[in-house]
């Protein structure tokens, strides 16, 4: 009897329709394929994900999303078909212990989802079907095509248990790299496992039991929209929106509860009203504006004493107009009786201030009313902020399923007056601004701590001074010749004219030359560096002549007099005219990075200035640019990653992304562009990689940046003698949310608004780092104040002073105060603040203070 006839007879005898069996098998396969998508990780790497909720919830492995460059992945649906489409998916939940992750894909309507089965239905020898993309793009028919999906049929060969609970299912289906994250279904089409790994070329593979996935999905997805509070809206009702989406079953069975705690004292129960479809909203008024809520630290000095305390943040009447107290830095009475008002933006003018005879000041627990009309000065410090801590709990009946928390600072530091002259306050609010230049850009130099950029236009003999926060050219300054070197400091910029052998100094306040001298060296200036947020000195590399082997030296210049400063140990490597040396300084002007593109290897040098002596180190290798961070604690390189001052963390390798410091000492950028490091990076070393914000010490991107669109460098950057290298083409001024880029076309600046804090708030990343920068100096006999702040996904942030001078204190909100004794003899002190949160994460805010 033929096999087909035998099957027909058996089906007839047992009442089974053979055609229904085959039709059902095919329908199961088609549904499994429709629900399974390719995860494109870039650089020929891929994995698998499958849909478990028709709204667009997908499952993959934790190790897949961990390998991705950001928390946004690219999924490919209908792979290999004419209807193939790509869509973005965001990581909403990831668990390392189970190796599972959940993604939310952008909407394409309803997705095909696979139902979840049960561990109880799984047994040894049971037939199973696995879907995925083994070996990813390596099995594609050509380089540009996406790979076809593989469907593997096998059996469960073992159930590996831990304490009686299934831990892994062993399969004999062929599973290979690229299958990770794919579904394993039974003959009915129910998910019984998630592919995790396989032993290559053995036919042995493993899947994560569906019970672990069910447990991960049992907690609903909770999306919270917090009110955007400001000093102007904090005294008005604020709306909190909570959306709860069930990943298994109906969203109607979940009930959220919300509270808000203000400054750790006032607790508000926010009544959440259902809006339908899992959405709820509620209102509360966080901080009614009264004398007890908003207070600013103030010090009022009289002829025979002083009073320090808190003052209500109410406006003062100045020259007939209301001026917010948070906009005022000081009110001083001169010896001639004139009252001088200084605003926080630096504006200073003579003023008539009303109401000083009745000022309410809180000193300790006491409320005092002072007559400050005879005060010598009134100094207003950085305002005390209001902190709102939110807690949202989602329950199903009496069972708590999810608890989310968020901390929000309402700062009263917002400026409401631009200046006494009526000019608007400068804040970059343009989204994206392209600033075309009137001539070809030959160099870009930072000044005023990065707030100003000096764009050198040699062919036009101009410098375009760009105000970065305002996003505009402040002024075009004429140059004495078309061969210059420009360098900037906190308050000045300097022009070294190589034709006329002169040096000019121009204050950033007036942009008019106030000092011109002859170059104080008998030779040729080759390179200059200075701290963009310092008052010098200037480090100058110069040669005694123009012959190839003419001796070259390094000297320091005093920015006040432009005369040499005596310094020990200033003889570095590359000491001849032919050496194309590049120098970069930390913002404080204490640490310098050096390399040379005239020979190979370029060299990796760092020089640290202490008192009147240099300490320097050197590695004989090529890493492209070597740029110290703002405080010089770290060095950021073209291809060698992030180093410390001793270079001990230097790791050789040719695939490291170029690193560029930001205005924050603990954050930096990675930029996928040619690093100019004399290394063979391959034909497409940065394909699919986007620029990112990184935290020193972590290999995971903190945030993905907008595209920089630098274009292509037509020169060979590895051998270019130009000092206009990659590190000068990208900058991120965090205080102004300004991401600056200079394309290789050298005809424009592009400034894009990028709010890192907002990006992090909207992400699922569990971040925790110190975001504030402490003032670096103290004055004997004065009070040092600093607010240490952190960016944290978790609440419950606590501060502890681990190391510091006697008398220094840190409050529960991170406010550091130190009344410096007039007799304090030390010139520097080290401070370490230990910061923890509710997840027992730890970060340190450490810095060194030096005497003014």
């Amino acid at each position: 009897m033929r096999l087909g006839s035998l099957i027909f007879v058996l089906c007839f005898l047992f009442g089974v329709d053979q055609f229904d069996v085959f039709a059902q098998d095919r329908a199961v396969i088609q549904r499994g394929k429709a629900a399974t998508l390719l995860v494109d990780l870039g650089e020929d790497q891929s994995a698998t994900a499958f849909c478990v909720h028709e709204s667009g919830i997908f499952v993959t492995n934790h190790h897949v999303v961990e390998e991705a460059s950001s928390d946004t992945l690219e999924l490919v649906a209908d792979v290999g078909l004419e209807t193939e489409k790509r869509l973005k998916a965001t990581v909403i939940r990831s668990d390392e212990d189970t190796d599972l992750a959940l993604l939310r894909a952008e909407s394409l309507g309803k997705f095909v989802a696979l139902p979840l089965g049960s561990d109880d239905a799984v047994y040894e020898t049971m037939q199973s079907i696995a879907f995925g993309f083994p070996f990813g793009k390596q099995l594609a028919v050509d380089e540009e095509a996406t790979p076809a999906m593989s469907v593997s049929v096998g059996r469960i060969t073992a159930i590996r248990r831990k304490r009686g609970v299934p831990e892994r299912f062993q399969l004999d289906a062929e599973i290979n790299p690229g299958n990770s994250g794919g579904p394993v279904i039974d003959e009915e089409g129910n998910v019984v496992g998630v592919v995790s790994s396989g032993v290559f070329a053995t036919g042995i593979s493993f899947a994560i039991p569906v019970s672990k996935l069910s447990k991960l999905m049992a907690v609903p997805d909770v999306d919270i929209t917090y009110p955007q509070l400001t000093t102007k809206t904090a005294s008005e009702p604020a709306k909190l929106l909570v959306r709860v989406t069930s990943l298994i079953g109906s969203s109607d069975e979940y009930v959220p509860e919300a509270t808000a705690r203000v400054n750790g004292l006032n607790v508000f129960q926010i009544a959440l009203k259902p809006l339908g479809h899992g959405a709820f909203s509620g209102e509360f008024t966080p901080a009614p504006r009264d004398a007890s809520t908003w207070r600013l630290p103030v010090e009022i000095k009289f002829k025979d004493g002083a009073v320090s305390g808190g003052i209500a943040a109410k406006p003062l009447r100045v020259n007939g107009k209301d001026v917010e107290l948070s906009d005022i830095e000081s009110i001083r009475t001169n010896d001639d009786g004139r009252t001088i008002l200084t605003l926080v933006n630096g504006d200073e003018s003579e003023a008539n201030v009303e109401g000083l005879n009745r000022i309410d000041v809180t000193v300790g627990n006491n409320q005092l009313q002072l007559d400050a009309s005879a005060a010598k000065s009134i100094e207003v410090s950085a305002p005390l902020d209001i902190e709102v801590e939110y807690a949202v709990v989602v329950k199903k009946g009496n069972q708590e399923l999810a608890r989310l928390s968020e901390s929000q600072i309402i700062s009263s530091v917002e400026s409401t007056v631009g200046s006494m002259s009526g000019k608007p306050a400068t804040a970059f609010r343009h989204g994206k601004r392209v600033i075309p230049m009137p001539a070809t850009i030959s160099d870009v130099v930072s000044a005023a701590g990065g707030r100003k950029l000096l764009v050198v236009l040699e062919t036009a003999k101009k410098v375009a001074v760009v105000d970065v926060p305002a996003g505009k050219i402040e002024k075009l300054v004429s140059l004495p010749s078309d061969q210059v070197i420009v360098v900037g400091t906190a308050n000045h910029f300097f022009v070294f004219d190589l034709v006329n052998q002169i040096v000019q100094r121009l204050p950033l306040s007036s942009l008019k030359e106030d000092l011109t001298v002859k170059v104080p060296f008998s030779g040729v200036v080759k390179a200059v560096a200075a701290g963009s947020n310092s008052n010098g000195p200037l480090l100058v590399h110069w040669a005694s002549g123009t012959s190839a082997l003419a001796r070259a030296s390094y000297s320091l210049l005093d920015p006040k007099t432009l005369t040499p400063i005596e310094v020990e140990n200033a003889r570095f490597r590359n000491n001849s005219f032919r050496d194309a040396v590049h120098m970069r300084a930390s913002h404080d002007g204490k640490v310098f990075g050096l390399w040379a593109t005239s020979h190979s290897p370029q060299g990796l040098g760092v020089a640290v200035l202490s008192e009147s002596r240099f300490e320097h180190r050197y590695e004989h290798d090529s890493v492209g640019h070597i740029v110290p961070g703002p405080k010089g604690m770290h060095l950021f390189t073209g291809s060698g990653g992030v180093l410390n001052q001793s270079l001990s963390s230097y790791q050789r390798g040719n695939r490291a992304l170029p690193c560029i410091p930001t205005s924050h000492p603990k954050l930096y950028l990675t930029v996928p562009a040619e690093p100019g490091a004399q290394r063979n990076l391959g034909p497409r070393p940065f394909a699919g990689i986007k620029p990112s914000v990184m935290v020193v010490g972590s290999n995971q991107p903190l945030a993905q940046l907008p595209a920089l669109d630098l274009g292509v460098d037509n020169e060979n950057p590895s051998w270019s003698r130009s000092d206009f290298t990659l590190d000068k083409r990208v900058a991120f001024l965090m205080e102004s949310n300004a991401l600056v880029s200079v394309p290789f076309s050298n005809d424009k600046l592009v400034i894009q608004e990028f709010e890192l804090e907002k990006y992090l708030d909207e992400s699922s990343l569990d971040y925790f780092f110190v975001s504030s920068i402490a003032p670096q100096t103290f004055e004997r006999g004065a009070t040092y104040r600093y607010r240490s702040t952190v960016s944290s996904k978790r609440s419950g942030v606590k501060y502890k002073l681990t190391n510091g001078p006697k008398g220094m204190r840190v409050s529960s909100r991170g406010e550091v105060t130190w009344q410096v004794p007039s007799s304090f003899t030390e010139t520097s002190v080290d401070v370490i603040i230990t910061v923890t949160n509710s997840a027992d994460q730890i970060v340190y805010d450490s810095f060194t203070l030096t005497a003014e």
Side-chain angles (χ1 to χ4, degrees):
M1 182 180 292
R2 293 183 178 179
L3 179 60
S5 300
L6 178 60
I7 294 176
F8 179 83
V9 171
L10 292 174
C11 291
F12 176 79
L13 292 174
F14 291 96
V16 180
D17 188 332
Q18 61 172 325
F19 300 105
D20 285 347
V21 171
F22 288 113
Q24 182 183 16
D25 287 346
R26 182 164 187 172
V28 167
I29 299 299
Q30 294 293 5
R31 186 174 185 84
K33 291 177 65 176
T36 304
L37 273 61
L38 174 76
V39 182
D40 192 341
L41 298 172
E43 290 196 335
D44 298 329
Q45 300 296 315
S46 63
T48 306
F50 65 96
C51 184
V52 290
H53 194 281
E54 62 181 13
S55 66
I57 305 298
F58 282 77
V59 176
T60 189
N61 290 136
H62 167 80
H63 72 260
V64 170
V65 301
E66 193 176 41
E67 292 170 3
S69 59
S70 74
D71 61 356
T72 301
L73 287 79
E74 188 171 61
L75 304 182
V76 185
D78 297 341
V79 174
L81 304 177
E82 291 184 359
T83 56
E84 179 177 300
K85 57 185 72 72
R86 291 177 176 266
L87 56 153
K88 300 295 184 183
T90 304
V91 180
I92 60 173
R93 196 169 298 162
S94 189
D95 184 71
E96 184 176 4
D97 292 338
T98 59
D99 194 23
L100 290 172
L102 298 180
L103 316 174
R104 181 190 290 113
E106 61 186 2
S107 178
L108 286 178
K110 287 187 177 181
F111 290 84
V112 176
L114 296 177
L116 301 188
S118 168
D119 287 357
D120 296 337
V122 178
Y123 57 91
E124 292 87 346
T125 73
M126 169 183 154
Q127 183 167 294
S128 61
I129 309 166
F131 300 79
F133 299 89
F135 298 106
K137 298 178 183 179
Q138 298 177 40
L139 296 186
V141 294
D142 60 58
E143 291 184 359
E144 301 301 322
T146 47
M149 185 185 304
S150 294
V151 181
S152 303
V153 178
R155 295 187 179 277
I156 305 291
T157 59
I159 301 176
R160 303 191 179 279
R161 301 178 185 273
K162 186 176 182 180
R163 299 186 182 92
V165 177
E167 185 69 19
R168 285 292 185 271
F169 295 150
Q170 182 176 313
L171 317 173
D172 63 5
E174 188 68 29
I175 304 295
N176 293 295
N179 273 106
S180 295
V184 178
I185 65 174
D186 60 19
E187 292 179 291
E188 301 297 322
N190 300 312
V191 176
V192 295
V194 182
V195 174
S196 61
S197 60
V199 182
F200 184 62
T202 64
I204 298 176
S205 305
F206 297 97
I208 303 161
V210 69
S211 59
K212 295 182 180 295
L213 176 57
S214 297
K215 186 176 180 180
L216 186 67
M217 293 176 60
V219 178
D221 180 36
V222 183
D223 185 32
I224 304 173
T225 302
Y226 296 96
Q228 297 301 306
L229 300 175
T230 67
T231 54
K232 296 172 184 170
T233 63
S235 57
E236 302 171 357
K239 181 176 291 185
L240 182 74
L241 180 64
V242 181
R243 185 176 295 276
V244 184
T245 302
S246 174
L247 304 181
I248 302 177
S250 172
S251 299
D252 297 336
E253 53 191 347
Y254 301 111
V255 177
E257 299 173 354
T259 59
R261 181 188 298 268
V262 179
N263 278 354
L265 299 173
N266 301 330
V267 179
F268 298 87
Q269 299 291 334
I270 304 174
L272 295 175
K273 298 179 181 179
L275 304 177
H277 304 289
F280 299 80
S281 71
E283 291 184 347
F284 76 109
T285 303
R289 186 174 288 277
D290 56 36
S292 64
T293 303
W294 299 94
R295 308 203 69 78
L296 287 76
V298 66
E299 185 175 27
I300 305 175
K301 294 182 179 179
F302 298 91
K303 184 177 180 179
D304 53 356
V307 175
S308 295
I311 185 171
K314 296 180 178 179
L316 288 178
R317 196 74 176 168
V318 179
N319 295 339
K321 297 181 180 180
D322 284 344
V323 176
E324 292 292 337
L325 196 63
S326 57
D327 289 320
I328 298 174
E329 182 176 285
S330 67
I331 303 171
R332 298 178 181 274
T333 302
N334 289 348
D335 294 336
D336 57 8
R338 293 186 305 139
T339 300
I340 305 299
L341 176 75
T342 302
L343 299 179
V344 294
N345 65 4
D347 281 358
E348 191 171 274
S349 63
E350 185 176 352
N352 177 29
V353 184
E354 303 175 28
L356 295 181
N357 60 325
R358 294 172 62 88
I359 291 183
D360 294 324
V361 179
T362 302
V363 180
N365 296 321
N366 301 313
Q367 294 278 354
L368 305 178
Q369 190 174 88
L370 300 178
D371 181 357
S373 58
K376 298 293 292 181
S377 68
I378 302 173
E379 303 278 350
V380 182
S381 300
L384 297 176
D385 301 329
I386 289 183
E387 182 177 17
V388 182
E389 295 178 273
Y390 298 94
V392 177
V393 177
V394 178
K395 293 183 176 180
K396 181 179 179 181
N398 294 324
Q399 182 185 7
E400 181 180 313
L401 297 179
R403 178 179 290 269
L404 297 92
S405 57
E406 176 75 14
S407 181
Q408 186 178 24
I409 299 294
I410 313 173
S411 177
S412 53
V413 76
E414 300 167 76
S415 181
T416 56
V417 295
S419 67
M420 294 304 293
S421 61
K423 294 182 294 184
T426 56
F428 188 67
R429 292 292 182 270
H430 306 291
K432 180 177 181 179
R433 172 165 289 191
V434 177
I435 307 176
M437 289 293 145
T440 301
I441 302 172
S442 53
D443 200 5
V444 175
V445 179
S446 177
R451 295 183 298 280
K452 296 186 186 295
L453 291 179
L454 311 174
V455 183
V456 183
L457 313 169
E458 281 190 338
T459 57
K461 295 201 294 187
K462 300 283 187 183
V463 170
V465 181
V466 176
D467 185 329
V468 176
K472 66 180 182 180
I473 296 177
E474 185 175 340
K475 187 177 181 180
L476 286 172
V477 179
S478 296
L479 294 172
S481 79
D482 61 355
Q483 297 180 48
V484 298
I485 296 175
V486 175
V487 65
T489 59
N491 301 303
H492 297 84
F493 80 91
F494 303 81
V495 178
F496 287 74
D497 178 2
L498 306 184
V499 174
N500 301 302
Q501 290 292 291
I502 62 172
V503 186
Q504 292 182 333
R505 184 183 67 194
L506 297 88
L508 292 171
S509 56
S510 66
L511 298 177
K512 296 180 180 179
E513 171 266 331
D514 71 346
L515 179 64
T516 300
V517 302
K518 292 291 288 184
V519 173
F521 311 113
S522 180
V524 182
V525 175
K526 292 177 55 59
V528 187
S532 68
N533 204 30
S534 74
N535 291 317
L538 314 181
L539 177 62
V540 182
H541 179 49
W542 60 281
S544 59
T546 56
S547 63
L549 298 179
R551 183 175 177 274
S553 302
Y554 296 83
S555 299
L556 289 180
L557 283 188
D558 183 342
K560 295 181 180 179
T561 61
L562 294 178
T563 56
I565 302 172
E566 291 293 328
V567 63
E568 297 179 38
N569 205 25
R571 184 175 176 82
F572 311 142
R573 298 178 71 93
N574 304 310
N575 294 313
S576 60
F577 174 82
R578 66 182 178 184
D579 297 323
V581 175
H582 308 272
M583 306 190 304
R584 301 289 184 266
S586 58
H587 283 192
D588 61 7
K590 300 293 181 63
V591 182
F592 298 83
L594 303 95
W595 78 103
T597 53
S598 52
H599 49 262
S600 181
Q602 297 170 343
L604 167 58
V606 57
V608 181
L609 180 61
S610 177
E611 301 292 335
S612 59
R613 177 180 173 81
F614 271 114
E615 299 293 339
H616 41 85
R617 298 177 180 85
Y618 178 83
E619 283 270 0
H620 202 53
D621 207 335
S622 294
V623 294
H625 62 251
I626 304 157
V627 185
K631 298 183 180 181
M633 297 180 292
H634 305 95
L635 303 170
F636 302 87
T637 73
S639 68
V642 182
L643 322 177
N644 56 29
Q645 289 183 1
S646 68
L647 308 182
S648 60
S649 63
Y650 174 50
Q651 296 179 349
R652 290 166 174 78
N654 62 3
R655 294 306 301 274
L657 283 165
C659 302
I660 296 174
T662 70
S663 59
H664 193 288
K666 294 159 187 170
L667 302 180
Y668 66 100
L669 307 183
T670 53
V671 179
E674 167 57 50
Q678 294 176 0
R679 289 180 177 273
N680 180 10
L681 302 181
R684 299 179 64 200
F686 307 119
I689 300 177
K690 295 183 179 181
S692 299
V693 180
M694 308 287 292
V695 181
V696 172
S698 173
N699 292 324
Q700 293 298 314
L702 184 63
Q704 193 171 88
L705 294 170
L708 298 175
D709 297 329
L710 294 176
V712 179
D713 189 359
N714 293 320
E715 294 184 359
N716 183 344
S718 300
W719 295 97
S720 173
R721 300 177 75 90
S722 168
D723 198 45
F724 191 20
T725 49
L726 177 63
D727 61 288
K728 291 186 173 184
R729 293 185 177 273
V730 182
F732 184 24
L733 188 65
M734 292 183 56
E735 299 87 338
S736 301
N737 301 320
L739 177 63
V740 185
S741 57
V742 184
F744 287 110
S745 58
N746 294 335
D747 59 353
K748 58 182 174 288
L749 263 70
V750 180
I751 306 181
Q752 301 181 71
E753 186 176 22
F754 182 77
E755 297 184 44
L756 180 60
E757 291 284 344
K758 180 179 179 182
Y759 179 100
L760 294 176
D761 287 343
E762 294 175 352
S763 76
S764 59
L765 184 67
D766 191 10
Y767 58 89
F768 186 44
F769 63 95
V770 177
S771 54
S772 58
I773 303 174
Q776 298 296 291
T777 59
F778 66 87
E779 181 181 355
R780 295 181 178 91
T783 301
Y784 175 89
R785 288 189 177 92
Y786 159 55
R787 171 72 184 274
S788 177
T789 59
V790 298
S791 293
S792 176
K793 198 72 171 180
R794 310 291 186 107
S795 63
V797 175
K798 296 181 180 179
Y799 298 85
K800 178 183 178 182
L801 182 65
T802 305
N803 187 72
K806 184 178 179 180
M808 179 173 280
R809 299 285 185 271
V810 59
S811 73
S812 60
R813 297 171 58 209
E815 294 158 353
V816 179
T817 56
W818 177 33
Q819 181 60 52
V820 187
S822 301
S823 59
F824 193 78
T825 58
E826 296 181 44
T827 58
S828 67
V829 292
D830 293 323
V831 179
I832 302 175
I833 301 170
T834 302
V835 192
T836 59
N837 64 12
S838 58
D840 292 327
Q841 294 171 312
I842 300 177
V843 294
Y844 299 95
D845 191 359
S846 60
F847 47 92
T848 299
L849 302 179
T850 57
E852 291 184 344

